[in-house]
Amino acid sequence: QKEVEQDPGPLSVPEGAIVSLNCTYSNSAFQYFMWYRQYSRKGPELLMYTYSSGNKEDGRFTAQVDKSSKYISLFIRDSQPSDSATYLCAMSLYNQGGKLIFGQGTELSVKP
Amino acid sequence: KAGVTQTPRYLIKTRGQQVTLSCSPISGHRSVSWYQQTPGQGLQFLFEYFSETQRNKGNFPGRFSGRQFSNSRSEMNVSTLELGDSALYLCASSRGQGGLNTGELFFGEGSRLTVL
């Protein structure tokens, strides 16, 4: 069993829809939780970063962390075709530096 | 501000050869991490360097090695290439202040290696 599980999709939604992306994890010691977005033939770019449980909002994006359930989510409101990309969740332990554990990534397509 | 730069972007090698990939981090960033990305395994951590010292290492064989220079630039080397080494190799940099990273990594566009 992988430390971080993420449904690879693909996920296809119409423009303007609310998108929900999720990851579960098994290691309760994870402290930092991130969402990265990766366009085709590009490197991942950091979208959201959270520490410990709770919600964080940035524009159309909301990240949620529920450490008791070992479950994290990313919500995208009013989705746009430009949001079409692969979304990767990632986690790390305290003071583990640049060692992130990534989910498999969910491929999202937003249709006009 | 320039981003993370990786060279070469594409390369083709044959089994048994060796390859060296280069990474220039964002100016001021002292930590460089390397990842391998494949369709089957996703993104997997190779190693991290901070101030020229390897700080973390993933579960890859000894054929995979790296180093960091005093200007924070980094190289990774793969010796005795195997078909399964075909992948996108990504470099990421972060500030690494006080030796503590919080996962805010900035990735380059990667070096796509094909092993024939």
Side-chain angles (χ1 to χ4, degrees), chain A residues 46-107:
Chain A
L46 181 64
L47 266 181
M48 300 285 287
Y49 157 80
T50 55
Y51 171 71
S52 196
S53 286
N55 293 1
K56 184 174 183 178
E57 189 173 319
D58 184 2
R60 297 185 295 110
F61 298 89
T62 300
Q64 285 186 350
V65 175
D66 182 348
K67 293 190 74 177
S68 63
S69 302
K70 299 193 189 72
Y71 188 88
I72 70 170
S73 301
L74 177 71
F75 298 95
I76 307 174
R77 291 182 298 281
D78 187 26
S79 56
Q80 303 295 310
S82 58
D83 295 328
S84 298
T86 296
Y87 290 79
L88 300 140
C89 64
M91 308 175 191
S92 69
L93 302 173
Y94 178 77
N95 202 21
Q96 274 291 289
K99 182 178 180 180
L100 303 186
I101 310 301
F102 281 87
Q104 192 71 8
T106 300
E107 185 181 348

Side-chain angles (χ1 to χ4, degrees), chain B residues 1-64:
Chain B
K1 193 174 186 180
V4 177
T5 304
Q6 291 189 244
T7 56
R9 292 289 316 278
Y10 302 92
L11 64 166
I12 300 173
K13 294 285 187 178
T14 57
R15 286 169 53 191
Q17 287 187 311
Q18 66 102 25
V19 66
T20 299
L21 309 177
S22 179
C23 172
S24 293
I26 292 172
S27 177
H29 285 192
R30 296 167 62 190
S31 170
V32 173
S33 301
W34 287 90
Y35 288 81
Q36 181 195 65
Q37 187 173 31
T38 60
Q41 298 299 316
L43 269 157
Q44 292 186 288
F45 173 77
L46 280 157
F47 29 66
E48 181 201 7
Y49 287 88
F50 179 80
S51 292
E52 301 180 65
T53 301
Q54 188 179 86
R55 184 159 68 175
N56 271 308
K57 190 177 188 306
N59 298 321
F60 278 82
R63 299 185 298 106
F64 293 81

Side-chain angles (χ1 to χ4, degrees), chain A residues 1-6 24-26 101-104, chain B residues 40-42:
Chain A
Q1 184 187 4
K2 294 192 173 189
E3 276 191 287
V4 179
E5 298 279 358
Q6 182 178 8
T24 58
Y25 61 94
S26 57
I101 310 301
F102 281 87
Q104 192 71 8
Chain B
Q41 298 299 316

Side-chain angles (χ1 to χ4, degrees), chain B residues 57-94:
Chain B
K57 190 177 188 306
N59 298 321
F60 278 82
R63 299 185 298 106
F64 293 81
S65 62
R67 60 178 175 168
Q68 187 179 33
F69 302 96
S70 58
N71 61 359
S72 294
R73 192 177 68 85
S74 178
E75 289 181 348
M76 69 162 283
N77 183 275
V78 187
S79 62
T80 319
L81 284 166
E82 301 177 359
L83 296 179
D85 297 333
S86 293
L88 181 66
Y89 289 89
L90 290 158
C91 166
S93 76
S94 61

